[in-house]
Amino acid sequence: MPLKDLKTIEFGNEADFKKAFGEITKLLGKDRVSTDKDILEIHSTSSFSTHQATPDQRPQLVVYPSTTEEVSKIMSICYKHSVPVVAFGGGTSLEGHFTPTRGGVSIDFYNMGEIISILDDDLQAVVQPNVGWEELNEELANHNLFFPPDPGPGAKIGGMVGTSCSGTNAFRFGTVKDWIISLKVVLADGTVIKTRQRPMKSSAGYNLTGLFIGAEGTLGLVTEITVKLTPKPDNVSVGVFSFKTIEDSAKAVAKVVQSGIKPNAMELMDDVAMKCVNHSGETSRIWPEEQTLLFKFSGFTPRDASEQLKAVERIARAEGCTSVQLAVTPEDVDDLWAARKHALWAVQAFGGMNKRVWTTDVAVPISKLPDLVKDTRKDLDDTGLFSAVLGHVGDGNFHAIIVYEPEKIAIATAAVERMVDRAIALGGTCTGEHGVGLGKRHHLDHELGPEAVNTMRKIKLALDPKCLLNTDKVIQVDPNDKTILEAN
Ligand SMILES: Cc1cc2nc3c(=O)[nH]c(=O)nc-3n(C[C@H](O)[C@H](O)[C@H](O)COP(=O)(O)OP(=O)(O)OC[C@H]3O[C@@H](n4cnc5c(N)ncnc54)[C@H](O)[C@@H]3O)c2cc1C
């Protein structure tokens, strides 16, 4: 389905929108809909999104359903009146994912935050979309169980399915794709489907579960999720490994991955990121401000974890590691890891809160990581902008955080474009985990080829012929869409 063969999308007119809003308000009651200006604003963008919504990229109505049936009825109404709809979870996505480019309705899943059941014997849980990964893990700790995907603080499982997220635990445990067994989904016309039952494996038909993971709310709205669980890791410690050069640290990562040692996590933070973390005061200790790898270890016994540490240390020292410090107390481990998770905000605060922040990710095959990291760090230095590099490097996944004055957006944009081109040239991807949203949409043709993108368009139009669901995200479906050009 080439873009040139498609027509401009036509939504309902003002009267249609008014009718739809009236019917939804009647369905939910006045308390569960909002037209408050601040609420509309929150559902349009965030200070850390690469895409800042234009003044007309606001929902006209934010709605708070409580059940799958209500979501289904809302979609039936919107389908009847041709009103666009955007799903909203934790609002932590980074590429303009939930910006309502065509106005309409924002469905906020706030009232659907129940952990429906924890099935200890099957190592599974059934949750509503607004359950956060942090709160799920808090509850699971009482069962000595664990749900590994750990994206941004505040992210919800519906949104995590939306972006096909991962996080620091992906090296050992895999990404969210590996932890979803089945989904309940409301389609564009209000039809409700369950993608499969809950055996650990199934060959029954197309992989519909996989289709909705990473679809960013463009194919359907997820209203219930059955997730896999694993026993909670024991005897967790973190090794903080310092290196003279960032290239040495990336080489050490590749060597550890190739050796088959499986730490729970392997994170890169450059000297700038470490400085920002120290400055944020989030950790009780001050850490060396050097090119740093954080390795997380665990094991049945403390000895298992310390043997992994020794094996990694041998490799790291051979690649130029200059010092190793350990965080072993639960407090040290937790606050160091929390600081890593909050690094975006630490870098943003250090760079100047009056400036804009651009956080972006790419991923490459592990052997290409040292080249990518070295060339990107140099390129960013050459721009003269304040920036930090970090990433879940065990997966070849690498992030840059660039802080810039609004008038320097062209410099930041060009640096990000070069980083993406570099990753694709190395056999990689324009995004390892943040997703496409609006920010990475134009890279898909280059990375995947036009035929693959045309196939995605066919899937989109088969499931959402009126293009109501999160219009303009992931792939362009309107040949006359100028959304991205108007942005920022
Ligand atoms: C400080 C920080 C650190 C981060 N670290 C990581 C990281 O390590 N790894 C990582 O992968 N990401 C990371 N992120 C990005 C972000 O946390 C993830 O993209 C996360 O998965 C988004 O979840 P959310 O609930 O906030 O989704 P939202 O931002 O609310 O939505 C994301 C997308 O999913 C859609 N959506 C939301 N709910 C539903 C639903 N119920 N059904 C269908 N579609 C839906 C939305 O329309 C949107 O397109 C980070 C972000 C921040 C701010």
Side-chain angles (χ1 to χ4, degrees), residues 48 86-94 97-98 107 109 129-130 133 150-168 212 215-218 220-223 225 340-345 392 397 399 433-435 470 473:
F48 43 84
V86 178
F88 185 89
T92 67
S93 52
L94 299 166
H97 287 80
F98 58 83
I107 299 191
F109 287 94
N130 215 57
W133 62 274
D150 61 333
K156 310 295 179 188
I157 295 176
M160 292 161 61
V161 170
T163 61
S164 189
C165 78
S166 44
T168 64
F212 292 102
E216 302 182 1
T218 62
L221 304 178
V222 174
T223 58
I225 306 115
R340 162 62 191 96
K341 296 298 309 170
H342 292 102
L344 167 59
W345 295 314
H392 316 306
N397 187 194
H399 299 43
E433 60 174 23
H434 290 173
N470 211 4
K473 310 302 162 46

Short mmCIF file of all heavy atoms in Angstrom, two decimals, residues 48 86-94 97-98 107 109 129-130 133 150-168 212 215-218 220-223 225 340-345 392 397 399 433-435 470 473, ligand 1:
data_model
loop_
_atom_site.label_atom_id
_atom_site.label_comp_id
_atom_site.label_asym_id
_atom_site.label_seq_id
_atom_site.Cartn_x
_atom_site.Cartn_y
_atom_site.Cartn_z
N PHE A 48 9.89 16.21 28.25
CA PHE A 48 11.01 15.39 27.78
C PHE A 48 10.70 14.65 26.48
O PHE A 48 11.46 13.79 26.06
CB PHE A 48 11.47 14.42 28.87
CG PHE A 48 10.34 13.74 29.59
CD1 PHE A 48 9.75 12.61 29.07
CD2 PHE A 48 9.87 14.25 30.79
CE1 PHE A 48 8.70 11.98 29.72
CE2 PHE A 48 8.81 13.63 31.45
CZ PHE A 48 8.23 12.50 30.93
N VAL A 86 -6.69 8.64 20.89
CA VAL A 86 -5.31 8.32 21.30
C VAL A 86 -5.36 7.71 22.70
O VAL A 86 -6.06 8.23 23.58
CB VAL A 86 -4.43 9.59 21.34
CG1 VAL A 86 -3.02 9.26 21.81
CG2 VAL A 86 -4.37 10.25 19.97
N ALA A 87 -4.61 6.61 22.90
CA ALA A 87 -4.54 6.00 24.23
C ALA A 87 -3.45 6.68 25.05
O ALA A 87 -2.41 7.08 24.52
CB ALA A 87 -4.22 4.51 24.10
N PHE A 88 -3.69 6.78 26.37
CA PHE A 88 -2.73 7.43 27.27
C PHE A 88 -2.53 6.56 28.50
O PHE A 88 -3.48 6.18 29.18
CB PHE A 88 -3.27 8.80 27.68
CG PHE A 88 -2.31 9.61 28.51
CD1 PHE A 88 -1.39 10.46 27.90
CD2 PHE A 88 -2.32 9.53 29.90
CE1 PHE A 88 -0.50 11.21 28.66
CE2 PHE A 88 -1.44 10.28 30.66
CZ PHE A 88 -0.53 11.13 30.04
N GLY A 89 -1.25 6.19 28.77
CA GLY A 89 -0.93 5.39 29.96
C GLY A 89 -0.21 6.27 30.97
O GLY A 89 -0.79 7.18 31.56
N GLY A 90 1.10 6.01 31.15
CA GLY A 90 1.87 6.80 32.10
C GLY A 90 2.37 8.11 31.52
O GLY A 90 2.87 8.97 32.25
N GLY A 91 2.30 8.26 30.20
CA GLY A 91 2.76 9.50 29.56
C GLY A 91 4.27 9.67 29.59
O GLY A 91 4.77 10.79 29.49
N THR A 92 5.03 8.56 29.71
CA THR A 92 6.49 8.69 29.78
C THR A 92 7.18 8.40 28.45
O THR A 92 8.41 8.43 28.37
CB THR A 92 7.10 7.73 30.84
OG1 THR A 92 6.91 6.38 30.41
CG2 THR A 92 6.46 7.92 32.20
N SER A 93 6.41 8.12 27.41
CA SER A 93 7.04 7.82 26.11
C SER A 93 7.71 9.08 25.57
O SER A 93 7.37 10.20 25.98
CB SER A 93 6.03 7.25 25.14
OG SER A 93 4.90 8.09 25.07
N LEU A 94 8.62 8.89 24.63
CA LEU A 94 9.59 9.96 24.35
C LEU A 94 9.56 10.54 22.95
O LEU A 94 10.28 11.48 22.66
CB LEU A 94 11.00 9.40 24.64
CG LEU A 94 11.22 8.94 26.08
CD1 LEU A 94 12.48 8.10 26.21
CD2 LEU A 94 11.27 10.12 27.02
N HIS A 97 4.64 10.11 21.10
CA HIS A 97 3.73 8.98 20.89
C HIS A 97 2.26 9.31 21.12
O HIS A 97 1.39 8.85 20.41
CB HIS A 97 4.08 7.84 21.86
CG HIS A 97 5.31 7.09 21.54
ND1 HIS A 97 6.57 7.54 21.85
CD2 HIS A 97 5.48 5.89 20.95
CE1 HIS A 97 7.46 6.64 21.46
NE2 HIS A 97 6.82 5.64 20.91
N PHE A 98 1.97 10.06 22.20
CA PHE A 98 0.55 10.24 22.55
C PHE A 98 0.03 11.63 22.17
O PHE A 98 -1.06 12.03 22.57
CB PHE A 98 0.31 9.95 24.05
CG PHE A 98 1.14 10.81 24.98
CD1 PHE A 98 0.72 12.09 25.31
CD2 PHE A 98 2.33 10.34 25.50
CE1 PHE A 98 1.47 12.89 26.16
CE2 PHE A 98 3.10 11.13 26.35
CZ PHE A 98 2.67 12.41 26.68
N ILE A 107 -8.00 8.65 25.49
CA ILE A 107 -8.51 7.70 26.49
C ILE A 107 -7.41 7.47 27.52
O ILE A 107 -6.37 6.90 27.21
CB ILE A 107 -8.90 6.35 25.84
CG1 ILE A 107 -10.01 6.56 24.82
CG2 ILE A 107 -9.32 5.35 26.92
CD1 ILE A 107 -10.66 5.29 24.31
N PHE A 109 -6.25 5.63 30.81
CA PHE A 109 -6.62 4.38 31.48
C PHE A 109 -6.51 4.44 33.00
O PHE A 109 -6.50 3.41 33.67
CB PHE A 109 -5.79 3.21 30.91
CG PHE A 109 -6.23 2.83 29.52
CD1 PHE A 109 -5.61 3.37 28.41
CD2 PHE A 109 -7.30 1.97 29.33
CE1 PHE A 109 -6.04 3.05 27.13
CE2 PHE A 109 -7.74 1.64 28.06
CZ PHE A 109 -7.11 2.18 26.96
N PRO A 129 -4.51 -2.18 32.21
CA PRO A 129 -3.41 -1.46 31.55
C PRO A 129 -2.73 -0.39 32.39
O PRO A 129 -1.58 -0.04 32.13
CB PRO A 129 -4.08 -0.82 30.33
CG PRO A 129 -5.54 -0.89 30.58
CD PRO A 129 -5.78 -2.04 31.49
N ASN A 130 -3.43 0.13 33.41
CA ASN A 130 -2.80 1.23 34.15
C ASN A 130 -2.00 0.76 35.36
O ASN A 130 -1.58 1.56 36.20
CB ASN A 130 -3.82 2.28 34.59
CG ASN A 130 -3.22 3.67 34.55
OD1 ASN A 130 -2.74 4.09 33.51
ND2 ASN A 130 -3.19 4.36 35.68
N TRP A 133 4.79 -0.87 36.23
CA TRP A 133 5.74 -1.97 36.46
C TRP A 133 6.30 -1.91 37.88
O TRP A 133 6.57 -2.94 38.49
CB TRP A 133 6.86 -1.97 35.42
CG TRP A 133 7.73 -0.73 35.39
CD1 TRP A 133 7.48 0.42 34.70
CD2 TRP A 133 8.98 -0.52 36.07
NE1 TRP A 133 8.49 1.33 34.91
CE2 TRP A 133 9.42 0.78 35.74
CE3 TRP A 133 9.76 -1.30 36.92
CZ2 TRP A 133 10.62 1.31 36.24
CZ3 TRP A 133 10.95 -0.76 37.41
CH2 TRP A 133 11.36 0.52 37.06
N ASP A 150 11.59 -2.86 32.72
CA ASP A 150 11.69 -1.67 33.59
C ASP A 150 12.01 -0.43 32.78
O ASP A 150 13.13 0.07 32.78
CB ASP A 150 12.75 -1.89 34.69
CG ASP A 150 14.16 -2.13 34.13
OD1 ASP A 150 14.27 -2.63 32.99
OD2 ASP A 150 15.13 -1.80 34.82
N PRO A 151 11.01 0.14 32.08
CA PRO A 151 11.27 1.36 31.31
C PRO A 151 11.28 2.58 32.24
O PRO A 151 11.80 2.51 33.35
CB PRO A 151 10.09 1.37 30.33
CG PRO A 151 8.99 0.71 31.07
CD PRO A 151 9.63 -0.32 31.95
N GLY A 152 10.71 3.71 31.82
CA GLY A 152 10.78 4.92 32.62
C GLY A 152 9.97 4.81 33.90
O GLY A 152 8.93 4.14 33.92
N PRO A 153 10.42 5.48 34.96
CA PRO A 153 9.61 5.52 36.18
C PRO A 153 8.23 6.08 35.84
O PRO A 153 8.11 7.07 35.13
CB PRO A 153 10.39 6.50 37.08
CG PRO A 153 11.80 6.48 36.54
CD PRO A 153 11.68 6.24 35.07
N GLY A 154 7.19 5.41 36.33
CA GLY A 154 5.82 5.89 36.07
C GLY A 154 5.14 5.25 34.88
O GLY A 154 3.95 5.45 34.66
N ALA A 155 5.89 4.47 34.09
CA ALA A 155 5.27 3.84 32.91
C ALA A 155 4.28 2.76 33.36
O ALA A 155 4.46 2.13 34.40
CB ALA A 155 6.34 3.22 32.02
N LYS A 156 3.22 2.57 32.57
CA LYS A 156 2.16 1.60 32.88
C LYS A 156 2.23 0.45 31.87
O LYS A 156 2.66 0.64 30.73
CB LYS A 156 0.78 2.27 32.78
CG LYS A 156 0.67 3.59 33.54
CD LYS A 156 0.80 3.40 35.04
CE LYS A 156 0.72 4.72 35.78
NZ LYS A 156 1.02 4.60 37.20
N ILE A 157 1.69 -0.70 32.27
CA ILE A 157 1.91 -1.88 31.43
C ILE A 157 1.21 -1.74 30.07
O ILE A 157 1.74 -2.16 29.04
CB ILE A 157 1.54 -3.17 32.19
CG1 ILE A 157 2.54 -3.28 33.37
CG2 ILE A 157 1.65 -4.41 31.29
CD1 ILE A 157 2.31 -4.42 34.31
N GLY A 158 0.05 -1.06 30.02
CA GLY A 158 -0.59 -0.81 28.71
C GLY A 158 0.32 -0.02 27.79
O GLY A 158 0.49 -0.36 26.61
N GLY A 159 0.93 1.04 28.32
CA GLY A 159 1.84 1.87 27.52
C GLY A 159 3.12 1.12 27.17
O GLY A 159 3.69 1.30 26.10
N MET A 160 3.55 0.25 28.08
CA MET A 160 4.78 -0.53 27.84
C MET A 160 4.56 -1.52 26.69
O MET A 160 5.45 -1.76 25.88
CB MET A 160 5.19 -1.26 29.11
CG MET A 160 5.65 -0.32 30.21
SD MET A 160 5.62 -1.04 31.87
CE MET A 160 6.73 -2.41 31.72
N VAL A 161 3.35 -2.09 26.65
CA VAL A 161 3.00 -2.94 25.50
C VAL A 161 3.00 -2.06 24.25
O VAL A 161 3.52 -2.42 23.20
CB VAL A 161 1.61 -3.60 25.71
CG1 VAL A 161 1.12 -4.27 24.44
CG2 VAL A 161 1.68 -4.60 26.86
N GLY A 162 2.43 -0.85 24.40
CA GLY A 162 2.35 0.08 23.27
C GLY A 162 3.69 0.34 22.63
O GLY A 162 3.82 0.32 21.41
N THR A 163 4.73 0.57 23.45
CA THR A 163 6.03 0.94 22.87
C THR A 163 6.96 -0.25 22.69
O THR A 163 8.08 -0.08 22.22
CB THR A 163 6.76 1.97 23.75
OG1 THR A 163 7.00 1.37 25.03
CG2 THR A 163 5.98 3.25 23.90
N SER A 164 6.52 -1.45 23.12
CA SER A 164 7.42 -2.61 23.09
C SER A 164 8.71 -2.27 23.84
O SER A 164 9.82 -2.41 23.32
CB SER A 164 7.74 -3.01 21.65
OG SER A 164 8.42 -4.24 21.64
N CYS A 165 8.52 -1.88 25.08
CA CYS A 165 9.64 -1.33 25.85
C CYS A 165 10.61 -2.42 26.31
O CYS A 165 10.33 -3.61 26.21
CB CYS A 165 9.10 -0.62 27.08
SG CYS A 165 8.64 -1.77 28.38
N SER A 166 11.71 -1.97 26.86
CA SER A 166 12.56 -2.90 27.62
C SER A 166 13.10 -2.15 28.83
O SER A 166 12.32 -1.64 29.61
CB SER A 166 13.64 -3.56 26.77
OG SER A 166 14.27 -2.66 25.92
N GLY A 167 14.42 -2.03 28.97
CA GLY A 167 14.96 -1.37 30.16
C GLY A 167 16.24 -2.06 30.56
O GLY A 167 16.83 -2.81 29.78
N THR A 168 16.66 -1.83 31.80
CA THR A 168 17.98 -2.32 32.20
C THR A 168 18.02 -3.85 32.32
O THR A 168 19.09 -4.45 32.21
CB THR A 168 18.40 -1.72 33.56
OG1 THR A 168 17.51 -2.17 34.57
CG2 THR A 168 18.40 -0.20 33.53
N PHE A 212 0.12 -6.52 18.40
CA PHE A 212 -0.26 -5.32 19.16
C PHE A 212 0.89 -4.78 20.01
O PHE A 212 0.83 -3.64 20.48
CB PHE A 212 -1.49 -5.61 20.03
CG PHE A 212 -2.72 -5.84 19.20
CD1 PHE A 212 -3.20 -7.12 18.96
CD2 PHE A 212 -3.38 -4.77 18.62
CE1 PHE A 212 -4.32 -7.33 18.18
CE2 PHE A 212 -4.51 -4.96 17.82
CZ PHE A 212 -4.98 -6.25 17.60
N ALA A 215 2.72 -1.55 18.73
CA ALA A 215 1.85 -0.87 17.74
C ALA A 215 1.52 0.55 18.18
O ALA A 215 0.90 1.31 17.44
CB ALA A 215 0.58 -1.67 17.52
N GLU A 216 1.90 0.94 19.39
CA GLU A 216 1.75 2.31 19.88
C GLU A 216 0.29 2.78 19.82
O GLU A 216 0.00 3.93 19.51
CB GLU A 216 2.69 3.26 19.11
CG GLU A 216 4.15 2.83 19.24
CD GLU A 216 5.16 3.74 18.56
OE1 GLU A 216 4.76 4.75 17.98
OE2 GLU A 216 6.37 3.42 18.63
N GLY A 217 -0.62 1.85 20.07
CA GLY A 217 -2.04 2.21 20.10
C GLY A 217 -2.60 2.54 18.72
O GLY A 217 -3.66 3.15 18.62
N THR A 218 -1.92 2.12 17.65
CA THR A 218 -2.41 2.43 16.30
C THR A 218 -3.29 1.31 15.74
O THR A 218 -3.94 1.50 14.72
CB THR A 218 -1.25 2.65 15.30
OG1 THR A 218 -0.49 1.43 15.22
CG2 THR A 218 -0.34 3.79 15.72
N GLY A 220 -5.13 -1.05 18.06
CA GLY A 220 -6.17 -1.43 19.02
C GLY A 220 -5.78 -0.92 20.40
O GLY A 220 -4.65 -0.48 20.62
N LEU A 221 -6.75 -0.98 21.32
CA LEU A 221 -6.51 -0.49 22.69
C LEU A 221 -6.46 -1.69 23.63
O LEU A 221 -7.40 -2.49 23.68
CB LEU A 221 -7.63 0.46 23.11
CG LEU A 221 -7.85 1.66 22.17
CD1 LEU A 221 -9.02 2.51 22.64
CD2 LEU A 221 -6.58 2.50 22.07
N VAL A 222 -5.37 -1.80 24.36
CA VAL A 222 -5.15 -2.95 25.24
C VAL A 222 -5.85 -2.69 26.57
O VAL A 222 -5.58 -1.68 27.23
CB VAL A 222 -3.63 -3.14 25.46
CG1 VAL A 222 -3.38 -4.23 26.48
CG2 VAL A 222 -2.95 -3.45 24.14
N THR A 223 -6.75 -3.60 26.96
CA THR A 223 -7.50 -3.36 28.20
C THR A 223 -7.22 -4.41 29.27
O THR A 223 -7.70 -4.28 30.40
CB THR A 223 -9.01 -3.31 27.92
OG1 THR A 223 -9.39 -4.55 27.31
CG2 THR A 223 -9.38 -2.15 27.02
N ILE A 225 -3.99 -7.51 30.33
CA ILE A 225 -2.72 -8.11 29.92
C ILE A 225 -2.42 -9.28 30.84
O ILE A 225 -2.46 -9.13 32.07
CB ILE A 225 -1.56 -7.07 30.03
CG1 ILE A 225 -1.91 -5.79 29.24
CG2 ILE A 225 -0.25 -7.65 29.52
CD1 ILE A 225 -2.08 -4.58 30.08
N ARG A 340 20.30 5.63 37.96
CA ARG A 340 20.42 5.28 36.54
C ARG A 340 19.07 5.48 35.83
O ARG A 340 19.00 6.03 34.74
CB ARG A 340 20.91 3.82 36.41
CG ARG A 340 20.68 3.18 35.05
CD ARG A 340 21.44 3.91 33.93
NE ARG A 340 21.03 3.47 32.61
CZ ARG A 340 20.13 4.09 31.85
NH1 ARG A 340 19.54 5.19 32.27
NH2 ARG A 340 19.83 3.63 30.65
N LYS A 341 17.99 5.05 36.49
CA LYS A 341 16.68 5.17 35.87
C LYS A 341 16.27 6.64 35.70
O LYS A 341 15.52 6.98 34.81
CB LYS A 341 15.60 4.45 36.70
CG LYS A 341 15.74 2.96 36.85
CD LYS A 341 15.67 2.17 35.56
CE LYS A 341 14.50 2.46 34.68
NZ LYS A 341 14.62 1.83 33.34
N HIS A 342 16.76 7.50 36.63
CA HIS A 342 16.37 8.92 36.56
C HIS A 342 17.41 9.76 35.81
O HIS A 342 17.34 10.99 35.84
CB HIS A 342 16.21 9.49 37.98
CG HIS A 342 15.04 8.90 38.72
ND1 HIS A 342 15.16 7.94 39.67
CD2 HIS A 342 13.71 9.12 38.61
CE1 HIS A 342 13.96 7.59 40.14
NE2 HIS A 342 13.07 8.29 39.51
N ALA A 343 18.36 9.10 35.13
CA ALA A 343 19.48 9.85 34.53
C ALA A 343 18.99 10.93 33.57
O ALA A 343 19.57 12.01 33.49
CB ALA A 343 20.43 8.89 33.81
N LEU A 344 17.89 10.64 32.85
CA LEU A 344 17.38 11.64 31.90
C LEU A 344 17.12 12.96 32.61
O LEU A 344 17.54 14.04 32.17
CB LEU A 344 16.10 11.12 31.24
CG LEU A 344 15.25 12.13 30.47
CD1 LEU A 344 16.03 12.78 29.34
CD2 LEU A 344 13.99 11.46 29.91
N TRP A 345 16.43 12.86 33.76
CA TRP A 345 16.07 14.09 34.47
C TRP A 345 17.31 14.72 35.12
O TRP A 345 17.40 15.94 35.21
CB TRP A 345 14.97 13.80 35.50
CG TRP A 345 13.70 13.40 34.81
CD1 TRP A 345 13.14 14.01 33.73
CD2 TRP A 345 12.87 12.28 35.11
NE1 TRP A 345 12.00 13.35 33.35
CE2 TRP A 345 11.80 12.28 34.17
CE3 TRP A 345 12.89 11.26 36.06
CZ2 TRP A 345 10.78 11.33 34.17
CZ3 TRP A 345 11.88 10.32 36.06
CH2 TRP A 345 10.84 10.35 35.13
N HIS A 392 21.61 0.63 27.52
CA HIS A 392 21.54 -0.77 27.96
C HIS A 392 22.45 -1.54 27.01
O HIS A 392 22.01 -2.25 26.10
CB HIS A 392 20.11 -1.27 27.86
CG HIS A 392 19.10 -0.29 28.39
ND1 HIS A 392 19.18 0.24 29.66
CD2 HIS A 392 17.99 0.27 27.83
CE1 HIS A 392 18.16 1.06 29.85
NE2 HIS A 392 17.44 1.10 28.76
N ASN A 397 22.22 -1.53 22.76
CA ASN A 397 21.25 -0.42 22.76
C ASN A 397 21.88 0.80 23.43
O ASN A 397 22.34 0.72 24.56
CB ASN A 397 20.00 -0.87 23.52
CG ASN A 397 18.84 0.11 23.48
OD1 ASN A 397 17.90 -0.01 24.24
ND2 ASN A 397 18.87 1.07 22.59
N HIS A 399 21.95 5.16 24.07
CA HIS A 399 21.11 6.37 24.14
C HIS A 399 21.99 7.62 24.16
O HIS A 399 23.08 7.61 24.73
CB HIS A 399 20.33 6.43 25.45
CG HIS A 399 19.37 5.31 25.68
ND1 HIS A 399 19.65 4.01 25.41
CD2 HIS A 399 18.12 5.32 26.19
CE1 HIS A 399 18.61 3.26 25.73
NE2 HIS A 399 17.67 4.03 26.21
N GLU A 433 14.26 0.59 21.72
CA GLU A 433 13.22 0.41 22.74
C GLU A 433 12.27 1.59 22.89
O GLU A 433 11.15 1.40 23.34
CB GLU A 433 13.86 0.10 24.10
CG GLU A 433 14.78 1.21 24.60
CD GLU A 433 15.29 0.98 26.01
OE1 GLU A 433 15.32 -0.18 26.45
OE2 GLU A 433 15.66 1.97 26.67
N HIS A 434 12.68 2.80 22.53
CA HIS A 434 11.78 3.93 22.77
C HIS A 434 10.58 3.92 21.84
O HIS A 434 9.52 4.43 22.17
CB HIS A 434 12.51 5.27 22.62
CG HIS A 434 13.50 5.52 23.72
ND1 HIS A 434 14.37 6.58 23.71
CD2 HIS A 434 13.76 4.83 24.86
CE1 HIS A 434 15.12 6.54 24.81
NE2 HIS A 434 14.77 5.49 25.51
N GLY A 435 10.76 3.36 20.65
CA GLY A 435 9.66 3.30 19.70
C GLY A 435 9.73 4.43 18.69
O GLY A 435 10.64 5.27 18.71
N ASN A 470 -4.63 6.62 17.05
CA ASN A 470 -3.32 7.27 17.10
C ASN A 470 -2.78 7.59 15.71
O ASN A 470 -1.65 7.23 15.34
CB ASN A 470 -2.31 6.44 17.91
CG ASN A 470 -1.29 7.32 18.61
OD1 ASN A 470 -1.38 8.55 18.55
ND2 ASN A 470 -0.32 6.71 19.26
N LYS A 473 1.03 8.08 13.78
CA LYS A 473 2.15 7.50 14.53
C LYS A 473 2.64 6.23 13.84
O LYS A 473 1.88 5.54 13.17
CB LYS A 473 1.74 7.18 15.97
CG LYS A 473 1.07 8.31 16.69
CD LYS A 473 1.92 9.57 16.76
CE LYS A 473 1.08 10.79 17.08
NZ LYS A 473 0.14 10.63 18.17
C1 LIG B 1 13.33 8.81 32.68
C2 LIG B 1 12.84 7.87 31.60
C3 LIG B 1 13.52 6.67 31.42
C4 LIG B 1 13.09 5.78 30.44
N1 LIG B 1 13.74 4.60 30.30
C5 LIG B 1 13.30 3.69 29.41
C6 LIG B 1 13.93 2.43 29.29
O1 LIG B 1 14.89 2.13 29.99
N2 LIG B 1 13.43 1.55 28.39
C7 LIG B 1 12.34 1.85 27.59
O2 LIG B 1 11.93 1.01 26.79
N3 LIG B 1 11.74 3.06 27.67
C8 LIG B 1 12.17 3.97 28.56
N4 LIG B 1 11.53 5.17 28.67
C9 LIG B 1 10.38 5.46 27.80
C10 LIG B 1 9.00 5.07 28.38
O3 LIG B 1 9.05 4.89 29.77
C11 LIG B 1 8.47 3.81 27.69
O4 LIG B 1 8.26 4.09 26.33
C12 LIG B 1 7.18 3.25 28.29
O5 LIG B 1 6.95 1.98 27.74
C13 LIG B 1 5.95 4.12 28.05
O6 LIG B 1 4.91 3.70 28.92
P1 LIG B 1 3.74 4.72 29.34
O7 LIG B 1 2.78 4.00 30.20
O8 LIG B 1 4.32 5.95 29.88
O9 LIG B 1 3.08 4.96 27.91
P2 LIG B 1 2.48 6.28 27.26
O10 LIG B 1 3.54 7.29 27.09
O11 LIG B 1 1.26 6.71 27.97
O12 LIG B 1 2.07 5.69 25.84
C14 LIG B 1 3.00 5.10 24.99
C15 LIG B 1 2.32 4.65 23.71
O13 LIG B 1 1.45 3.55 23.98
C16 LIG B 1 0.11 3.88 23.65
N5 LIG B 1 -0.74 3.30 24.70
C17 LIG B 1 -0.82 3.67 26.00
N6 LIG B 1 -1.69 2.88 26.64
C18 LIG B 1 -2.18 2.00 25.74
C19 LIG B 1 -3.13 0.95 25.78
N7 LIG B 1 -3.76 0.62 26.91
N8 LIG B 1 -3.40 0.27 24.64
C20 LIG B 1 -2.76 0.58 23.48
N9 LIG B 1 -1.86 1.57 23.37
C21 LIG B 1 -1.57 2.27 24.50
C22 LIG B 1 0.05 5.39 23.59
O14 LIG B 1 -0.95 5.85 22.71
C23 LIG B 1 1.44 5.71 23.07
O15 LIG B 1 1.50 5.57 21.69
C24 LIG B 1 11.96 6.11 29.62
C25 LIG B 1 11.29 7.32 29.81
C26 LIG B 1 11.72 8.19 30.79
C27 LIG B 1 10.96 9.47 30.97
#
